[in-house]
């Protein structure tokens, strides 16, 4: 069945470091891909999305490119801040009649000053 | 504006008791989803409503779990005869679109259920 695999966490970086969180997926057809973020004490919120191959989603300095050939959607940011500390979830939607999300296991990011 | 709200935020119950978890979606949102999230894992889909119609319940783990959305707004997830393995964070999300390939889902803060 459809699935999403993320790199293991936690990831600990110093402020202004470069961030990559790997995400690969398995799905029949061409799903839509998402990154959701959960800040401490809050609910999940959409960070960015891409709906077709080679699309780049971007928001708040984060970027991810939909790579069909490698079935990947890696999250990147050039310079992280302490406020980026959160849990990041990669997810896909394939069953378009319901829009149900299939999530990866989440990657915890801790940014130290 | 008001986001998705869930109540209670925390629920501790004894094994064998029934629990009801409430979700109040963003006003006017057509779609409503329930997910369950174990510690250290991503959310897993439970069920989906389009207005009041439950169109997908493929993620409900067994017949102890049920959900309703009778007037197309507030939804209740009910777990009967709770078991310790039911302990998890239960998350509700709503969306302004019907199903959809790319629609953003807006999540509530979740209900942390602990079954003793």
């Amino acid at each position: 069945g459809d699935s999403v695999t993320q790199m293991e966490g936690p990831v600990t970086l110093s402020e202004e470091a470069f961030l990559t969180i790997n995400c690969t997926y398995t799905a029949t057809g061409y799903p839509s891909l998402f990154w959701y973020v959960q800040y401490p004490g809050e609910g999940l919120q959409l960070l960015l999305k891409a709906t077709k191959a080679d699309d780049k989603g971007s928001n708040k300095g984060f970027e991810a490119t939909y790579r069909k050939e490698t079935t990947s959607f890696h999250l990147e940011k050039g310079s992280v801040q302490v406020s980026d500390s959160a849990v990041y979830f990669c997810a896909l939607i394939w069953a378009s009649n319901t829009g149900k999300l299939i999530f990866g296991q989440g990657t915890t990011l801790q940014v130290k000053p | 504006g008001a986001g998705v709200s869930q109540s209670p935020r925390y629920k501790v119950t004894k094994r064998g008791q029934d629990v009801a978890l409430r979700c109040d979606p963003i006003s006017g949102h057509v779609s409503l989803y329930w997910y369950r999230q174990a510690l250290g894992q991503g959310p897993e889909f439970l069920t989906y409503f389009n207005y009041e119609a439950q169109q997908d319940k493929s993620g409900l783990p067994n017949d102890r779990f049920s959900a309703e959305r009778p007037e197309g707004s507030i939804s209740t997830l009910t777990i009967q005869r709770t078991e310790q393995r039911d302990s998890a964070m239960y998350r509700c999300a709503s969306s302004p679109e019907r199903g959809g390939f790319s629609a953003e889902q807006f999540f509530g803060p979740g209900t942390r259920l602990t079954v003793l």
Side-chain angles (χ1 to χ4, degrees):
Chain A
D2 299 342
S3 65
V4 176
T5 302
Q6 293 180 231
M7 66 185 286
E8 293 280 337
V11 174
T12 302
L13 295 173
S14 298
E15 207 165 21
E16 299 183 2
F18 184 86
L19 169 70
T20 299
I21 300 178
N22 290 337
C23 170
T24 57
Y25 66 89
T26 301
T28 52
Y30 303 109
S32 290
L33 301 173
F34 303 79
W35 278 100
Y36 277 80
V37 59
Q38 182 179 9
Y39 297 104
E42 300 183 14
L44 282 78
Q45 55 187 273
L46 179 65
L47 180 60
L48 53 83
K49 68 180 182 183
T51 59
K52 61 182 187 295
D54 300 324
D55 267 2
K56 177 184 285 187
S58 61
N59 186 25
K60 299 182 181 179
F62 291 88
E63 292 183 340
T65 301
Y66 189 158
R67 301 287 188 198
K68 184 181 69 172
E69 63 276 12
T70 55
T71 62
S72 65
F73 193 55
H74 304 322
L75 183 69
E76 297 182 334
K77 186 175 185 182
S79 176
V80 294
Q81 305 300 312
V82 172
S83 57
D84 293 326
S85 298
V87 183
Y88 292 82
F89 293 92
C90 186
L92 67 82
I93 289 176
W94 182 77
S96 60
N97 60 331
T98 66
K100 64 183 179 185
L101 284 159
I102 296 172
F103 286 91
Q105 75 272 31
T107 302
T108 299
L109 170 66
Q110 184 178 26
V111 180
K112 296 186 174 180
Chain B
V4 178
S5 61
Q6 293 185 243
S7 61
R9 293 290 307 277
Y10 303 90
K11 177 68 177 179
V12 180
T13 190
K14 292 183 178 179
R15 184 165 50 96
Q17 297 294 306
D18 299 349
V19 296
L21 312 181
R22 173 184 165 126
C23 172
D24 200 341
I26 294 172
S27 178
H29 276 198
V30 169
S31 295
L32 186 144
Y33 303 82
W34 283 99
Y35 295 87
R36 179 170 70 171
Q37 185 175 9
L39 204 60
Q41 299 297 315
E44 290 186 326
F45 171 79
L46 293 176
T47 188
Y48 161 69
F49 289 86
N50 171 32
Y51 293 105
E52 72 281 2
Q54 188 175 21
Q55 295 196 331
D56 186 344
K57 54 181 181 179
S58 62
L60 296 177
N62 51 60
D63 60 7
R64 295 186 297 106
F65 287 73
S66 63
E68 62 176 9
R69 193 187 185 197
E71 297 179 359
S73 180
I74 294 169
S75 177
T76 303
L77 177 69
T78 301
I79 309 173
Q80 296 181 312
R81 306 180 302 281
T82 53
E83 301 178 4
Q84 287 186 329
R85 59 178 172 159
D86 299 333
S87 297
M89 178 73 83
Y90 289 82
R91 298 193 182 275
C92 173
S94 69
S95 172
E97 298 181 29
R98 176 184 176 277
F101 200 55
S102 63
E104 177 177 0
Q105 294 181 23
F106 296 81
F107 283 81
T111 295
R112 170 71 68 187
L113 175 66
T114 302
V115 182
L116 302 176

